[in-house]
Amino acid sequence: MTSILDRIRDRVRADFTDADPAHDIHHLDRVAALAGDIAARQGGDPLTAQVAAYVHDYHRVEEAKQGRRPIRPEEARAAVLDVLARCGVPEEMHGTVLHAVELTGRYRFGGDDLDNQSVIAAAVHDADNLDAMGAIGIGRAFAFGGLLGEPLWSPGTQLKERYAEGETSSVLAHLYEKLVRLEKDMLTEPARRLAAERAQLLHRFAAEFRTEWGNEDVSCGTVCPDGTRVHWDPRTRFLSVTTPENERHDGQDEARRDGPNDGMTRITFRGRVGLSLDERGRPVGVDLLEVPAALAHCVPHATRRRPWTADETAGSPWSLDPEANVVWISLTETSVHRRLTAIGDIEAQLRDDVPAALRLHLTEQPVDGDHDEVLS
């Protein structure tokens, strides 16, 4: 005799035969496994969580049937109830399953209230969102964006302040408008830990993508006195700093640049960042607070007090305050108007153990002592 979960999966697999790659049976398998594990860790019933996970995307089936999107999860309530009944799911589970299904379509950054949810609903909500993050999330986003005919990236397009389901200006915009913001929407502690790791991977991917994309023609791009190129996008809170030496290496042919002797080391970490801006919103300097030892070892010690403007005679713009374990990067000769402090997902690139590039995204994660301070 087959189990309830086996019957549910068999029925769902048949109904999702023609589903797009981002919402197919493999997605449902992953969400069901995660939801069951999270529910068990939180003291809930893993079977109920897995059943809800398998039926949470029936609004996608309705979208295909009706030829319109988006359709909300609650609009597929009748289809979900039909599957539950046909597969012999006890009626006392139906309400819990329906509530969990409906919660998967709600987001704080879309204006929804996610407080005081049941263990099962929270587990399914978090599991579904985790599958939209990390490497799998990137693959799903580009698969679904391709299905919708969305461009890869449209640098000059304004991003949505409040998220709403439906088409967006580009796949990378979707990463910024939704995927990286899912970390703050997690309702359970096991999911929060996984989400932090997957959000960092999303940011690393976005940084690499934009570096390969090239000039984005944004207003906050500058060239420092020593030739260092600085790109700051306040919409996505993305900062890129590249030394002239690294620019020359990046211009080499692919075989030489990616060879085993190119001397490039990448150090990635999450930490507090202080970003100083001038009156026009251009970066003046960057402070990396509490840097890992691997990076601190390769940055020259400061021989003077912290400068707020670049000094052409100082050699490398990177300096280490060994007592505070802070790396500062002085960029331009303008005065500081504003200082922004936040958590950042950071990648420092070293070439032959010398700092060559910095790429980071400032996140929206709240941390004690973080602030946005206008100085003048």
PDB file of all heavy atoms in Angstrom, residues 271-307:
ATOM      1  N   GLY A 271      31.068  41.123   6.222  1.00  0.00           N
ATOM      2  CA  GLY A 271      31.542  41.943   7.327  1.00  0.00           C
ATOM      3  C   GLY A 271      30.996  43.349   7.244  1.00  0.00           C
ATOM      4  O   GLY A 271      30.330  43.732   6.270  1.00  0.00           O
ATOM      5  N   ARG A 272      31.285  44.132   8.271  1.00  0.00           N
ATOM      6  CA  ARG A 272      30.815  45.517   8.306  1.00  0.00           C
ATOM      7  C   ARG A 272      31.682  46.385   7.410  1.00  0.00           C
ATOM      8  O   ARG A 272      32.896  46.224   7.335  1.00  0.00           O
ATOM      9  CB  ARG A 272      30.813  46.052   9.731  1.00  0.00           C
ATOM     10  CG  ARG A 272      29.776  45.374  10.623  1.00  0.00           C
ATOM     11  CD  ARG A 272      29.813  45.899  12.050  1.00  0.00           C
ATOM     12  NE  ARG A 272      29.420  47.294  12.091  1.00  0.00           N
ATOM     13  CZ  ARG A 272      30.039  48.224  12.807  1.00  0.00           C
ATOM     14  NH1 ARG A 272      31.104  47.910  13.513  1.00  0.00           N
ATOM     15  NH2 ARG A 272      29.596  49.464  12.801  1.00  0.00           N
ATOM     16  N   VAL A 273      31.019  47.313   6.731  1.00  0.00           N
ATOM     17  CA  VAL A 273      31.679  48.202   5.781  1.00  0.00           C
ATOM     18  C   VAL A 273      31.278  49.641   6.095  1.00  0.00           C
ATOM     19  O   VAL A 273      30.105  49.926   6.363  1.00  0.00           O
ATOM     20  CB  VAL A 273      31.266  47.877   4.321  1.00  0.00           C
ATOM     21  CG1 VAL A 273      31.907  48.867   3.340  1.00  0.00           C
ATOM     22  CG2 VAL A 273      31.641  46.445   3.969  1.00  0.00           C
ATOM     23  N   GLY A 274      32.250  50.533   6.068  1.00  0.00           N
ATOM     24  CA  GLY A 274      31.974  51.957   6.148  1.00  0.00           C
ATOM     25  C   GLY A 274      32.266  52.588   4.794  1.00  0.00           C
ATOM     26  O   GLY A 274      33.387  52.488   4.288  1.00  0.00           O
ATOM     27  N   LEU A 275      31.274  53.224   4.204  1.00  0.00           N
ATOM     28  CA  LEU A 275      31.435  53.848   2.891  1.00  0.00           C
ATOM     29  C   LEU A 275      31.257  55.350   3.034  1.00  0.00           C
ATOM     30  O   LEU A 275      30.221  55.827   3.504  1.00  0.00           O
ATOM     31  CB  LEU A 275      30.406  53.285   1.905  1.00  0.00           C
ATOM     32  CG  LEU A 275      30.420  53.873   0.486  1.00  0.00           C
ATOM     33  CD1 LEU A 275      31.757  53.603  -0.199  1.00  0.00           C
ATOM     34  CD2 LEU A 275      29.269  53.297  -0.342  1.00  0.00           C
ATOM     35  N   SER A 276      32.274  56.112   2.641  1.00  0.00           N
ATOM     36  CA  SER A 276      32.233  57.570   2.702  1.00  0.00           C
ATOM     37  C   SER A 276      31.940  58.125   1.317  1.00  0.00           C
ATOM     38  O   SER A 276      32.562  57.720   0.327  1.00  0.00           O
ATOM     39  CB  SER A 276      33.572  58.119   3.211  1.00  0.00           C
ATOM     40  OG  SER A 276      33.862  57.608   4.498  1.00  0.00           O
ATOM     41  N   LEU A 277      30.993  59.073   1.245  1.00  0.00           N
ATOM     42  CA  LEU A 277      30.551  59.632  -0.029  1.00  0.00           C
ATOM     43  C   LEU A 277      30.691  61.151  -0.021  1.00  0.00           C
ATOM     44  O   LEU A 277      30.610  61.787   1.042  1.00  0.00           O
ATOM     45  CB  LEU A 277      29.080  59.266  -0.285  1.00  0.00           C
ATOM     46  CG  LEU A 277      28.730  57.771  -0.235  1.00  0.00           C
ATOM     47  CD1 LEU A 277      27.226  57.583  -0.230  1.00  0.00           C
ATOM     48  CD2 LEU A 277      29.357  57.026  -1.406  1.00  0.00           C
ATOM     49  N   ASP A 278      30.882  61.728  -1.204  1.00  0.00           N
ATOM     50  CA  ASP A 278      30.934  63.184  -1.298  1.00  0.00           C
ATOM     51  C   ASP A 278      29.535  63.750  -1.531  1.00  0.00           C
ATOM     52  O   ASP A 278      28.536  63.003  -1.490  1.00  0.00           O
ATOM     53  CB  ASP A 278      31.918  63.629  -2.384  1.00  0.00           C
ATOM     54  CG  ASP A 278      31.483  63.228  -3.795  1.00  0.00           C
ATOM     55  OD1 ASP A 278      30.309  62.839  -3.983  1.00  0.00           O
ATOM     56  OD2 ASP A 278      32.325  63.306  -4.719  1.00  0.00           O
ATOM     57  N   GLU A 279      29.436  65.042  -1.785  1.00  0.00           N
ATOM     58  CA  GLU A 279      28.126  65.678  -1.934  1.00  0.00           C
ATOM     59  C   GLU A 279      27.362  65.164  -3.146  1.00  0.00           C
ATOM     60  O   GLU A 279      26.132  65.223  -3.177  1.00  0.00           O
ATOM     61  CB  GLU A 279      28.291  67.197  -2.036  1.00  0.00           C
ATOM     62  CG  GLU A 279      28.602  67.866  -0.715  1.00  0.00           C
ATOM     63  CD  GLU A 279      28.537  69.368  -0.813  1.00  0.00           C
ATOM     64  OE1 GLU A 279      29.051  69.913  -1.823  1.00  0.00           O
ATOM     65  OE2 GLU A 279      27.978  70.011   0.098  1.00  0.00           O
ATOM     66  N   ARG A 280      28.052  64.655  -4.140  1.00  0.00           N
ATOM     67  CA  ARG A 280      27.407  64.137  -5.346  1.00  0.00           C
ATOM     68  C   ARG A 280      27.124  62.640  -5.241  1.00  0.00           C
ATOM     69  O   ARG A 280      26.668  62.034  -6.198  1.00  0.00           O
ATOM     70  CB  ARG A 280      28.292  64.428  -6.560  1.00  0.00           C
ATOM     71  CG  ARG A 280      28.458  65.911  -6.854  1.00  0.00           C
ATOM     72  CD  ARG A 280      29.472  66.155  -7.955  1.00  0.00           C
ATOM     73  NE  ARG A 280      29.106  65.505  -9.194  1.00  0.00           N
ATOM     74  CZ  ARG A 280      29.867  65.496 -10.292  1.00  0.00           C
ATOM     75  NH1 ARG A 280      31.063  66.088 -10.263  1.00  0.00           N
ATOM     76  NH2 ARG A 280      29.473  64.885 -11.376  1.00  0.00           N
ATOM     77  N   GLY A 281      27.397  62.047  -4.070  1.00  0.00           N
ATOM     78  CA  GLY A 281      27.123  60.630  -3.882  1.00  0.00           C
ATOM     79  C   GLY A 281      28.196  59.719  -4.412  1.00  0.00           C
ATOM     80  O   GLY A 281      27.984  58.512  -4.539  1.00  0.00           O
ATOM     81  N   ARG A 282      29.392  60.263  -4.708  1.00  0.00           N
ATOM     82  CA  ARG A 282      30.486  59.451  -5.217  1.00  0.00           C
ATOM     83  C   ARG A 282      31.352  58.964  -4.059  1.00  0.00           C
ATOM     84  O   ARG A 282      31.582  59.699  -3.097  1.00  0.00           O
ATOM     85  CB  ARG A 282      31.343  60.260  -6.197  1.00  0.00           C
ATOM     86  CG  ARG A 282      30.598  60.730  -7.432  1.00  0.00           C
ATOM     87  CD  ARG A 282      31.474  61.618  -8.299  1.00  0.00           C
ATOM     88  NE  ARG A 282      31.991  62.754  -7.549  1.00  0.00           N
ATOM     89  CZ  ARG A 282      32.750  63.708  -8.072  1.00  0.00           C
ATOM     90  NH1 ARG A 282      33.085  63.657  -9.354  1.00  0.00           N
ATOM     91  NH2 ARG A 282      33.172  64.717  -7.331  1.00  0.00           N
ATOM     92  N   PRO A 283      31.880  57.744  -4.149  1.00  0.00           N
ATOM     93  CA  PRO A 283      32.707  57.206  -3.056  1.00  0.00           C
ATOM     94  C   PRO A 283      34.002  58.001  -2.870  1.00  0.00           C
ATOM     95  O   PRO A 283      34.695  58.323  -3.837  1.00  0.00           O
ATOM     96  CB  PRO A 283      32.997  55.781  -3.503  1.00  0.00           C
ATOM     97  CG  PRO A 283      31.899  55.441  -4.466  1.00  0.00           C
ATOM     98  CD  PRO A 283      31.596  56.720  -5.176  1.00  0.00           C
ATOM     99  N   VAL A 284      34.301  58.305  -1.617  1.00  0.00           N
ATOM    100  CA  VAL A 284      35.544  58.964  -1.236  1.00  0.00           C
ATOM    101  C   VAL A 284      36.501  57.954  -0.617  1.00  0.00           C
ATOM    102  O   VAL A 284      37.706  57.999  -0.839  1.00  0.00           O
ATOM    103  CB  VAL A 284      35.255  60.114  -0.244  1.00  0.00           C
ATOM    104  CG1 VAL A 284      36.557  60.696   0.301  1.00  0.00           C
ATOM    105  CG2 VAL A 284      34.412  61.191  -0.908  1.00  0.00           C
ATOM    106  N   GLY A 285      35.953  57.032   0.184  1.00  0.00           N
ATOM    107  CA  GLY A 285      36.778  56.020   0.825  1.00  0.00           C
ATOM    108  C   GLY A 285      35.931  54.875   1.328  1.00  0.00           C
ATOM    109  O   GLY A 285      34.712  54.990   1.461  1.00  0.00           O
ATOM    110  N   VAL A 286      36.586  53.746   1.578  1.00  0.00           N
ATOM    111  CA  VAL A 286      35.914  52.538   2.061  1.00  0.00           C
ATOM    112  C   VAL A 286      36.663  52.012   3.275  1.00  0.00           C
ATOM    113  O   VAL A 286      37.900  51.922   3.250  1.00  0.00           O
ATOM    114  CB  VAL A 286      35.881  51.431   0.982  1.00  0.00           C
ATOM    115  CG1 VAL A 286      35.021  50.258   1.456  1.00  0.00           C
ATOM    116  CG2 VAL A 286      35.380  51.969  -0.345  1.00  0.00           C
ATOM    117  N   ASP A 287      35.948  51.681   4.330  1.00  0.00           N
ATOM    118  CA  ASP A 287      36.524  51.009   5.486  1.00  0.00           C
ATOM    119  C   ASP A 287      35.992  49.580   5.546  1.00  0.00           C
ATOM    120  O   ASP A 287      34.770  49.380   5.558  1.00  0.00           O
ATOM    121  CB  ASP A 287      36.142  51.715   6.791  1.00  0.00           C
ATOM    122  CG  ASP A 287      36.854  53.042   6.963  1.00  0.00           C
ATOM    123  OD1 ASP A 287      37.744  53.333   6.151  1.00  0.00           O
ATOM    124  OD2 ASP A 287      36.506  53.791   7.903  1.00  0.00           O
ATOM    125  N   LEU A 288      36.880  48.603   5.580  1.00  0.00           N
ATOM    126  CA  LEU A 288      36.508  47.207   5.802  1.00  0.00           C
ATOM    127  C   LEU A 288      36.826  46.888   7.253  1.00  0.00           C
ATOM    128  O   LEU A 288      37.993  46.887   7.650  1.00  0.00           O
ATOM    129  CB  LEU A 288      37.281  46.283   4.859  1.00  0.00           C
ATOM    130  CG  LEU A 288      37.185  46.601   3.367  1.00  0.00           C
ATOM    131  CD1 LEU A 288      38.014  45.599   2.553  1.00  0.00           C
ATOM    132  CD2 LEU A 288      35.743  46.603   2.895  1.00  0.00           C
ATOM    133  N   LEU A 289      35.804  46.645   8.045  1.00  0.00           N
ATOM    134  CA  LEU A 289      35.960  46.503   9.485  1.00  0.00           C
ATOM    135  C   LEU A 289      36.101  45.029   9.873  1.00  0.00           C
ATOM    136  O   LEU A 289      35.327  44.191   9.409  1.00  0.00           O
ATOM    137  CB  LEU A 289      34.748  47.120  10.191  1.00  0.00           C
ATOM    138  CG  LEU A 289      34.382  48.543   9.725  1.00  0.00           C
ATOM    139  CD1 LEU A 289      33.113  49.011  10.393  1.00  0.00           C
ATOM    140  CD2 LEU A 289      35.531  49.504   9.980  1.00  0.00           C
ATOM    141  N   GLU A 290      37.093  44.715  10.683  1.00  0.00           N
ATOM    142  CA  GLU A 290      37.341  43.353  11.157  1.00  0.00           C
ATOM    143  C   GLU A 290      37.561  42.388   9.989  1.00  0.00           C
ATOM    144  O   GLU A 290      36.800  41.445   9.773  1.00  0.00           O
ATOM    145  CB  GLU A 290      36.179  42.879  12.043  1.00  0.00           C
ATOM    146  CG  GLU A 290      35.986  43.757  13.278  1.00  0.00           C
ATOM    147  CD  GLU A 290      34.811  43.306  14.134  1.00  0.00           C
ATOM    148  OE1 GLU A 290      34.095  42.380  13.718  1.00  0.00           O
ATOM    149  OE2 GLU A 290      34.627  43.884  15.201  1.00  0.00           O
ATOM    150  N   VAL A 291      38.619  42.641   9.223  1.00  0.00           N
ATOM    151  CA  VAL A 291      38.900  41.847   8.025  1.00  0.00           C
ATOM    152  C   VAL A 291      39.547  40.521   8.419  1.00  0.00           C
ATOM    153  O   VAL A 291      40.181  40.395   9.471  1.00  0.00           O
ATOM    154  CB  VAL A 291      39.827  42.616   7.065  1.00  0.00           C
ATOM    155  CG1 VAL A 291      39.164  43.891   6.593  1.00  0.00           C
ATOM    156  CG2 VAL A 291      41.166  42.923   7.730  1.00  0.00           C
ATOM    157  N   PRO A 292      39.406  39.489   7.576  1.00  0.00           N
ATOM    158  CA  PRO A 292      40.055  38.198   7.857  1.00  0.00           C
ATOM    159  C   PRO A 292      41.570  38.325   7.771  1.00  0.00           C
ATOM    160  O   PRO A 292      42.105  39.187   7.069  1.00  0.00           O
ATOM    161  CB  PRO A 292      39.491  37.277   6.777  1.00  0.00           C
ATOM    162  CG  PRO A 292      39.016  38.181   5.692  1.00  0.00           C
ATOM    163  CD  PRO A 292      38.578  39.441   6.354  1.00  0.00           C
ATOM    164  N   ALA A 293      42.245  37.444   8.474  1.00  0.00           N
ATOM    165  CA  ALA A 293      43.707  37.505   8.552  1.00  0.00           C
ATOM    166  C   ALA A 293      44.366  37.376   7.184  1.00  0.00           C
ATOM    167  O   ALA A 293      45.404  37.999   6.923  1.00  0.00           O
ATOM    168  CB  ALA A 293      44.216  36.401   9.486  1.00  0.00           C
ATOM    169  N   ALA A 294      43.768  36.575   6.292  1.00  0.00           N
ATOM    170  CA  ALA A 294      44.359  36.371   4.963  1.00  0.00           C
ATOM    171  C   ALA A 294      44.449  37.679   4.191  1.00  0.00           C
ATOM    172  O   ALA A 294      45.390  37.890   3.412  1.00  0.00           O
ATOM    173  CB  ALA A 294      43.540  35.349   4.179  1.00  0.00           C
ATOM    174  N   LEU A 295      43.494  38.582   4.396  1.00  0.00           N
ATOM    175  CA  LEU A 295      43.532  39.883   3.726  1.00  0.00           C
ATOM    176  C   LEU A 295      44.442  40.852   4.478  1.00  0.00           C
ATOM    177  O   LEU A 295      45.249  41.560   3.866  1.00  0.00           O
ATOM    178  CB  LEU A 295      42.115  40.454   3.626  1.00  0.00           C
ATOM    179  CG  LEU A 295      42.002  41.866   3.032  1.00  0.00           C
ATOM    180  CD1 LEU A 295      42.598  41.912   1.622  1.00  0.00           C
ATOM    181  CD2 LEU A 295      40.540  42.315   2.995  1.00  0.00           C
ATOM    182  N   ALA A 296      44.311  40.888   5.798  1.00  0.00           N
ATOM    183  CA  ALA A 296      45.125  41.811   6.594  1.00  0.00           C
ATOM    184  C   ALA A 296      46.610  41.577   6.358  1.00  0.00           C
ATOM    185  O   ALA A 296      47.415  42.520   6.329  1.00  0.00           O
ATOM    186  CB  ALA A 296      44.785  41.654   8.073  1.00  0.00           C
ATOM    187  N   HIS A 297      46.993  40.328   6.161  1.00  0.00           N
ATOM    188  CA  HIS A 297      48.401  39.974   5.949  1.00  0.00           C
ATOM    189  C   HIS A 297      48.974  40.623   4.690  1.00  0.00           C
ATOM    190  O   HIS A 297      50.198  40.851   4.605  1.00  0.00           O
ATOM    191  CB  HIS A 297      48.525  38.451   5.868  1.00  0.00           C
ATOM    192  CG  HIS A 297      49.907  37.965   5.554  1.00  0.00           C
ATOM    193  ND1 HIS A 297      50.946  38.018   6.469  1.00  0.00           N
ATOM    194  CD2 HIS A 297      50.436  37.422   4.418  1.00  0.00           C
ATOM    195  CE1 HIS A 297      52.040  37.523   5.911  1.00  0.00           C
ATOM    196  NE2 HIS A 297      51.762  37.157   4.679  1.00  0.00           N
ATOM    197  N   CYS A 298      48.127  40.928   3.713  1.00  0.00           N
ATOM    198  CA  CYS A 298      48.601  41.406   2.413  1.00  0.00           C
ATOM    199  C   CYS A 298      48.439  42.915   2.223  1.00  0.00           C
ATOM    200  O   CYS A 298      48.767  43.436   1.155  1.00  0.00           O
ATOM    201  CB  CYS A 298      47.857  40.685   1.285  1.00  0.00           C
ATOM    202  SG  CYS A 298      48.126  38.901   1.270  1.00  0.00           S
ATOM    203  N   VAL A 299      47.937  43.625   3.234  1.00  0.00           N
ATOM    204  CA  VAL A 299      47.720  45.060   3.123  1.00  0.00           C
ATOM    205  C   VAL A 299      48.793  45.791   3.919  1.00  0.00           C
ATOM    206  O   VAL A 299      49.049  45.452   5.086  1.00  0.00           O
ATOM    207  CB  VAL A 299      46.315  45.446   3.647  1.00  0.00           C
ATOM    208  CG1 VAL A 299      46.125  46.958   3.591  1.00  0.00           C
ATOM    209  CG2 VAL A 299      45.246  44.745   2.838  1.00  0.00           C
ATOM    210  N   PRO A 300      49.454  46.793   3.323  1.00  0.00           N
ATOM    211  CA  PRO A 300      50.507  47.523   4.046  1.00  0.00           C
ATOM    212  C   PRO A 300      49.960  48.250   5.264  1.00  0.00           C
ATOM    213  O   PRO A 300      48.856  48.788   5.228  1.00  0.00           O
ATOM    214  CB  PRO A 300      51.055  48.497   3.002  1.00  0.00           C
ATOM    215  CG  PRO A 300      49.975  48.615   1.973  1.00  0.00           C
ATOM    216  CD  PRO A 300      49.279  47.291   1.949  1.00  0.00           C
ATOM    217  N   HIS A 301      50.743  48.259   6.351  1.00  0.00           N
ATOM    218  CA  HIS A 301      50.323  48.942   7.566  1.00  0.00           C
ATOM    219  C   HIS A 301      50.317  50.457   7.350  1.00  0.00           C
ATOM    220  O   HIS A 301      51.163  51.008   6.644  1.00  0.00           O
ATOM    221  CB  HIS A 301      51.262  48.606   8.719  1.00  0.00           C
ATOM    222  CG  HIS A 301      51.077  47.216   9.228  1.00  0.00           C
ATOM    223  ND1 HIS A 301      51.475  46.817  10.478  1.00  0.00           N
ATOM    224  CD2 HIS A 301      50.533  46.111   8.659  1.00  0.00           C
ATOM    225  CE1 HIS A 301      51.189  45.542  10.661  1.00  0.00           C
ATOM    226  NE2 HIS A 301      50.633  45.084   9.554  1.00  0.00           N
ATOM    227  N   ALA A 302      49.344  51.094   7.950  1.00  0.00           N
ATOM    228  CA  ALA A 302      49.253  52.546   7.865  1.00  0.00           C
ATOM    229  C   ALA A 302      50.427  53.182   8.596  1.00  0.00           C
ATOM    230  O   ALA A 302      50.823  52.742   9.680  1.00  0.00           O
ATOM    231  CB  ALA A 302      47.941  53.017   8.472  1.00  0.00           C
ATOM    232  N   THR A 303      50.994  54.226   8.003  1.00  0.00           N
ATOM    233  CA  THR A 303      52.095  54.953   8.636  1.00  0.00           C
ATOM    234  C   THR A 303      51.671  56.348   9.058  1.00  0.00           C
ATOM    235  O   THR A 303      52.494  57.155   9.464  1.00  0.00           O
ATOM    236  CB  THR A 303      53.277  55.059   7.659  1.00  0.00           C
ATOM    237  OG1 THR A 303      52.847  55.720   6.465  1.00  0.00           O
ATOM    238  CG2 THR A 303      53.819  53.677   7.311  1.00  0.00           C
ATOM    239  N   ARG A 304      50.382  56.643   8.931  1.00  0.00           N
ATOM    240  CA  ARG A 304      49.846  57.959   9.275  1.00  0.00           C
ATOM    241  C   ARG A 304      48.421  57.778   9.734  1.00  0.00           C
ATOM    242  O   ARG A 304      47.844  56.702   9.640  1.00  0.00           O
ATOM    243  CB  ARG A 304      49.907  58.889   8.065  1.00  0.00           C
ATOM    244  CG  ARG A 304      49.213  58.312   6.838  1.00  0.00           C
ATOM    245  CD  ARG A 304      49.687  58.963   5.544  1.00  0.00           C
ATOM    246  NE  ARG A 304      49.165  58.223   4.398  1.00  0.00           N
ATOM    247  CZ  ARG A 304      48.035  58.541   3.767  1.00  0.00           C
ATOM    248  NH1 ARG A 304      47.321  59.572   4.177  1.00  0.00           N
ATOM    249  NH2 ARG A 304      47.628  57.844   2.743  1.00  0.00           N
ATOM    250  N   ARG A 305      47.838  58.846  10.255  1.00  0.00           N
ATOM    251  CA  ARG A 305      46.460  58.771  10.715  1.00  0.00           C
ATOM    252  C   ARG A 305      45.518  58.601   9.534  1.00  0.00           C
ATOM    253  O   ARG A 305      45.866  58.911   8.392  1.00  0.00           O
ATOM    254  CB  ARG A 305      46.088  59.995  11.548  1.00  0.00           C
ATOM    255  CG  ARG A 305      46.082  61.303  10.767  1.00  0.00           C
ATOM    256  CD  ARG A 305      45.862  62.491  11.703  1.00  0.00           C
ATOM    257  NE  ARG A 305      44.569  62.416  12.347  1.00  0.00           N
ATOM    258  CZ  ARG A 305      43.448  62.926  11.832  1.00  0.00           C
ATOM    259  NH1 ARG A 305      43.495  63.525  10.651  1.00  0.00           N
ATOM    260  NH2 ARG A 305      42.324  62.844  12.483  1.00  0.00           N
ATOM    261  N   ARG A 306      44.343  58.142   9.815  1.00  0.00           N
ATOM    262  CA  ARG A 306      43.352  57.818   8.771  1.00  0.00           C
ATOM    263  C   ARG A 306      43.067  59.024   7.892  1.00  0.00           C
ATOM    264  O   ARG A 306      42.582  60.044   8.360  1.00  0.00           O
ATOM    265  CB  ARG A 306      42.054  57.342   9.449  1.00  0.00           C
ATOM    266  CG  ARG A 306      40.864  57.199   8.499  1.00  0.00           C
ATOM    267  CD  ARG A 306      41.104  56.031   7.553  1.00  0.00           C
ATOM    268  NE  ARG A 306      39.901  55.628   6.890  1.00  0.00           N
ATOM    269  CZ  ARG A 306      39.535  56.049   5.670  1.00  0.00           C
ATOM    270  NH1 ARG A 306      40.276  56.925   5.031  1.00  0.00           N
ATOM    271  NH2 ARG A 306      38.441  55.581   5.111  1.00  0.00           N
ATOM    272  N   PRO A 307      43.386  58.942   6.581  1.00  0.00           N
ATOM    273  CA  PRO A 307      43.061  60.042   5.674  1.00  0.00           C
ATOM    274  C   PRO A 307      41.617  59.932   5.175  1.00  0.00           C
ATOM    275  O   PRO A 307      41.089  58.837   5.027  1.00  0.00           O
ATOM    276  CB  PRO A 307      44.042  59.826   4.515  1.00  0.00           C
ATOM    277  CG  PRO A 307      44.197  58.330   4.471  1.00  0.00           C
ATOM    278  CD  PRO A 307      44.074  57.841   5.900  1.00  0.00           C
TER     279      PRO A 307
END
